[in-house]
Every structure is written in C-alpha cells, then in structure tokens.
C-alpha cells in the first residue's frame, strides 16, 4: 500500500487530452494523435497527406538495414497536399447567378390619335384629344447572369455583369378622351360638344389588354461590398437590356366612344392581333406584333434580395393609317403619324 501511494504521488496519472487534441486508436499498441494549438494550425493539418506519411513510415520500418524508429519528426514539404485548384468551368459557375424580377409600373409617353381643331369645339380655348397610353400591370423576368471581375479587393468588388433571360409582361391600353383648357362655367357646354365630335368621328376603342413574351440580353457594371468572409453584401447595378418582344392581344374593351374621359377595362371578346387599337372615320392606329428595343435597369439590394427599376421608353411603336385604302380627309387625324408607348416598372429582385 505504501509503495502504491508513493508511485501515485511521484508518477501522477496522465492529464486528460486537451480540447484541441484528437486521438485515434489503431489497435492496442498504436494510435494517431492530432494536436493543434490554434484553429489556424488545425486548418493547416487538412493539407497534410496522412496516407503518404504512413507509407513512408512503414517502408522505413520494413527496411532490414534500418533501425527501429521510436520518434520521427517529419517537416518535409512533400507530405503537404496543396488544395486542388478549381477548373475554369468551376470558376465560371461560381460567379454565375439566377435572378428573378417581379414588379408593376406606370405609363410613359402618350399617343394622340384624334385631335379636334379649335374651330369645331365652339370654344376659344377648349381642346379635345383622343389619346392612348399604356398601363403596366405586371413585369416579370427570369435571367442567368455572370460577373466578370474587374477589380477584386478585400472590402469590395467591381465587376461587369452580363447575361440573358426571358420574361412575361401584362399590359393594358387605356383610351383617354380628354377635354382641356376649359373654365368650370363652360365645362358642360364643351363636354357636350366633345361627345358630339366623338360620335361624329366614330372614335371607337377596340383593344385593351395584351401580353408580351420577352427575350433579352443585358449588361451592367456592378459594385458589391464584402464582409469579413469575403462574401458580397450590399450591391448596386446600373445597365441596359436589348429586348425582343412578341405581343399577343387577348381582350377587347367595351365600346366607350361617346365618353369624354375613359380608362377602359377588359371586355369579354378576344382581340385581333392584326386589327387596329382604335378607329375613327376611315382611320386606325396600329401596333406591331414583334418589337425590338432598349430598356434600362437599376438594382440595389443586400445579398440575395433587392429592389429594381426598369425604364422602357419605346416599348410599343404605334402608327396611324387609313383603313381599307380609303383617302378620307379629316383634319382631326394625321395619317402616317408614328409614336411610341413606354413604361417604367419597379419591384422586387431575388438572386445575387
């Protein structure tokens, strides 16, 4: 008992392994110990080729001319395995992202189809115009974009973003008959006269809602801030898109030709893609099925969520033509006149 007590005092039990030590038992008489003083040292252990070290050790022990090695310290760089470099394809995919945009907007520009001469209004200042504007009920797009790094710093990155995508827009033509420059005392007189002129000139709205399927390519310089881990956080993009649109008419409005101020709703019947949007006394205003134009995009956000503004000033081109080859002369119409309707849309963007 005395000898046992003295041995415990003189030779205390080994201390428990530290929290940053890993011991793997390979058998009753063999074990592997990983010890790292810091997280950085433990990270470096990942680069060591343990299999190669064991093969070298076994080969040395099996050498009949060699001596038993009780303690070996290996500092040879040959045992360090460098992390595999990503391929060009992996690097490209790492900077390629999927973006979704969904928003609504307001009309830009106005197209005047009919304008009554002042003499016909029986008023010194009153005017009457039949205008077409376009309401943007929904803008949506799905795109694949890639960031080509131009200046990559620890705190920020400047890149050139490019990509392609598809989209669906839901639009509506609004038919506005507007009376202007009239005092309150003369309003009823001029309004009644405006109704008469609209009826005499057979101003008839024929189309309202239509859809547009888009395909586009886009470019945009991009500034992104980085956090301590090197991941982008706040970002700002400003760029442009080249859009190809295919327009599909899907409804006709009710007949409001005798109204003065109109924001027409969708009617029950299907519209004709080739037909006019509005007609009047042998004239019609037409749009194109296929359009090509530039839009301008700005985005700001944090990580994978943000806001966008899309400005498309020349979305739908319009033209006034004479119907059925007629040559009706009417000072309120301008055959050959052209113009463009556009929209500005804003909404939510998802994706980096």
């Amino acid at each position: 008992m005395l000898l046992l007590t003295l041995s415990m005092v003189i030779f205390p039990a080994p201390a428990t392994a530290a929290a940053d030590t890993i011991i793997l038992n390979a058998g009753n008489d063999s074990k592997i110990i990983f010890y790292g003083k810091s997280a950085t040292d433990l990270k470096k252990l990942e680069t060591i080729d343990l299999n190669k070290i064991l093969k070298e050790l076994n080969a040395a022990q099996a050498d009949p001319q060699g001596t038993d090695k009780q303690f070996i310290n290996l500092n040879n760089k040959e045992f360090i395995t460098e992390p595999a470099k990503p391929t060009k394809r992996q690097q490209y995919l790492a900077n390629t992202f999927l973006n979704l945009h969904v928003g609504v907007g307001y009309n830009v520009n106005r197209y005047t189809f009919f304008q009554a001469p002042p003499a016909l209004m029986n008023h010194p200042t009153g005017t009457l115009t039949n205008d077409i504007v376009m309401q943007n009920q929904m803008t949506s797009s799905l795109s694949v974009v890639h960031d080509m790094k131009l200046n990559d710093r620890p705190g920020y990155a400047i890149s050139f973003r490019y990509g392609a995508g598809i989209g669906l827009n839901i639009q509506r033509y609004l038919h506005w008959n507007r009376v202007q420059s009239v005092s309150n005392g003369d309003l009823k007189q001029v309004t009644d006269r405006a109704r008469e002129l609209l009826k005499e000139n057979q101003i008839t709205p024929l189309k309202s809602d239509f859809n547009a399927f888009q395909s586009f390519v886009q470019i945009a310089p991009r500034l992104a801030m980085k956090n301590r881990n090197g991941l982008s956080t706040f970002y700002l993009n400003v760029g442009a898109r080249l859009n190809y649109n295919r327009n599909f008419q899907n409804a006709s409005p009710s007949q409001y030709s005798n109204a003065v101020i109109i924001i027409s709703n969708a009617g029950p019947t299907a519209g004709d893609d080739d037909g006019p949007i509005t007609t009047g006394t042998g004239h019609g205003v037409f749009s194109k099925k296929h359009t090509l134009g530039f839009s301008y995009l700005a985005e700001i956000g944090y990580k994978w969520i943000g806001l966008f503004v899309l400005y498309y000033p020349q979305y739908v081109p319009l033209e006034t033509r004479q119907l059925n080859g007629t040559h009706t002369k009417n000072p309120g119409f301008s055959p050959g006149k052209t113009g463009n309707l556009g929209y500005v849309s804003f909404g939510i963007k998802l994706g980096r």
Side-chain angles (χ1 to χ4, degrees), residues 3-205:
L3 293 175
L4 179 60
T5 302
L6 290 175
S7 64
M8 293 180 64
V9 173
I10 298 173
F11 306 105
T16 304
D20 52 3
T21 300
I22 300 174
I23 300 176
L24 300 178
N25 292 318
N28 295 330
D29 301 321
S30 302
K31 63 181 63 179
I32 301 172
I33 300 176
F34 295 93
Y35 171 74
K37 190 175 182 180
S38 64
T40 303
D41 292 344
L42 288 171
K43 195 71 177 175
K44 289 180 180 178
L45 290 175
E46 294 181 6
T47 64
I48 295 177
D49 191 341
L50 181 61
N51 289 330
K52 189 173 183 179
I53 294 174
L54 293 176
K55 289 179 181 178
E56 293 284 339
L57 179 59
N58 290 333
Q61 293 286 11
D63 186 357
Q65 296 180 355
T67 59
D68 291 339
K69 297 176 175 60
Q70 301 298 326
F71 180 79
I72 299 176
N73 187 9
L74 299 174
N75 293 314
N76 196 331
K77 292 183 179 181
E78 295 180 359
F79 298 114
I80 297 179
T81 302
E82 294 294 336
K85 293 184 179 180
T87 63
K88 291 184 178 180
R89 181 174 180 274
Q90 290 173 331
Q91 291 177 348
Y92 188 88
L93 292 178
N95 293 310
T96 302
F97 310 98
L98 188 66
N99 287 175
L100 174 65
H101 295 79
V102 179
V104 296
Y106 296 95
N107 58 285
V108 173
N109 304 333
R110 178 183 290 113
Y111 185 88
T112 299
F113 172 57
F114 172 78
Q115 184 169 7
L120 294 180
M121 294 296 296
N122 300 331
H123 191 274
T125 60
T127 62
L128 167 65
T129 58
N130 172 257
D131 297 333
I132 302 174
V133 299
M134 191 184 64
Q135 184 182 34
N136 178 240
Q137 296 182 297
M138 187 189 77
T139 299
S140 63
S141 66
L142 185 66
S143 58
V144 178
V145 295
H146 176 77
D147 289 343
M148 182 173 65
K149 297 295 180 64
L150 302 178
N151 190 357
D152 197 358
R153 300 289 183 178
Y156 67 92
I158 299 175
S159 58
F160 180 76
R161 170 164 285 196
Y162 62 91
I166 56 176
L168 170 64
N169 289 351
I170 299 177
Q171 323 287 158
R172 172 175 290 175
Y173 292 121
L174 303 181
H175 304 266
W176 289 355
N177 297 328
R178 301 189 304 152
V179 170
Q180 300 182 87
S181 305
V182 180
S183 62
N184 291 334
D186 298 335
L187 185 59
K188 184 180 185 305
Q189 170 193 345
V190 175
T191 300
D192 291 342
R193 178 57 183 162
R195 288 194 178 97
E196 293 176 0
L197 288 175
L198 292 172
K199 186 175 182 179
E200 291 172 4
N201 289 275
Q202 301 175 355
I203 304 299
T204 307

Side-chain angles (χ1 to χ4, degrees), residues 107 111 131-137 170-176 205-211 247-253 262-266 272-273 275-278 285-289 291 315-318 340-342:
N107 58 285
Y111 185 88
D131 297 333
I132 302 174
V133 299
M134 191 184 64
Q135 184 182 34
N136 178 240
Q137 296 182 297
I170 299 177
Q171 323 287 158
R172 172 175 290 175
Y173 292 121
L174 303 181
H175 304 266
W176 289 355
L206 298 176
K207 293 182 180 179
S208 63
D209 292 20
F210 70 97
N211 299 331
N247 300 327
F248 295 90
Q249 302 292 338
N250 63 7
S252 294
I262 299 174
I263 301 178
S264 61
N265 295 319
D272 178 10
D273 282 355
I277 299 171
T278 304
V285 56
F286 294 81
S287 63
K288 295 182 178 180
K289 289 183 182 180
T291 61
Y315 178 58
V316 176
L318 300 181
N340 292 279
L341 298 182

